[in-house]
Amino acid sequence: MITAKFRFEKGRCSAFAVSGHAMFADFGQDIVCASVSSALQLTVNGITEVLKLPADIWVAENEISLSLSGQRYPAADPMLSAFYLQMQLLAEDYPNHIQLITSEV
């Protein structure tokens, strides 16, 4: 299962961590993993490469996290909101393969 954790500060997403495998289909055929990976890469690259924001990023085997905590970057809000919405929609479509966890600090 893919687990996506989102942290919100004052109603705005400030960080996320995504880990695991969807196990929807065989490697190379898993449309759920592909969907999550594509949305994740678009978000991370949009924030770091297009917007040039100094995000804290951690990458490991089957896990990636991004954090903007400590600073508020309004330019990142639409990207983070869109990523959260996409993950919500995917979790609704594939509830046995994606779990969303949200926290407010």
Side-chain angles (χ1 to χ4, degrees), residues 71-84:
Q71 288 282 54
R72 185 159 173 253
Y73 298 103
D77 290 347
M79 301 242 19
L80 292 168
S81 294
F83 179 54
Y84 182 69

Side-chain angles (χ1 to χ4, degrees), residues 2 8 11 25 45 47 56 58 88:
I2 292 173
F8 289 82
N45 289 333
I47 289 171
D56 293 324
W58 185 75
Q88 282 181 309

Side-chain angles (χ1 to χ4, degrees), residues 38-53 55 57 66 75-76 79-80:
S38 179
L40 181 59
Q41 289 174 349
L42 177 67
T43 304
V44 171
N45 289 333
I47 289 171
T48 61
E49 302 302 317
V50 176
L51 297 175
K52 305 287 187 198
L53 298 178
I57 299 171
L66 178 143
M79 301 242 19
L80 292 168

Side-chain angles (χ1 to χ4, degrees), residues 6-65:
F6 290 86
R7 184 176 68 219
F8 289 82
E9 296 178 24
K10 297 179 182 173
R12 290 188 152 93
C13 182
S14 62
F16 63 80
V18 180
S19 62
H21 287 287
M23 308 303 278
F24 181 77
D26 291 335
F27 180 78
Q29 304 296 315
D30 196 324
I31 63 169
V32 178
C33 273
S35 297
V36 170
S37 294
S38 179
L40 181 59
Q41 289 174 349
L42 177 67
T43 304
V44 171
N45 289 333
I47 289 171
T48 61
E49 302 302 317
V50 176
L51 297 175
K52 305 287 187 198
L53 298 178
D56 293 324
I57 299 171
W58 185 75
V59 180
E61 181 84 19
N62 305 319
E63 187 173 354
I64 186 167
S65 66

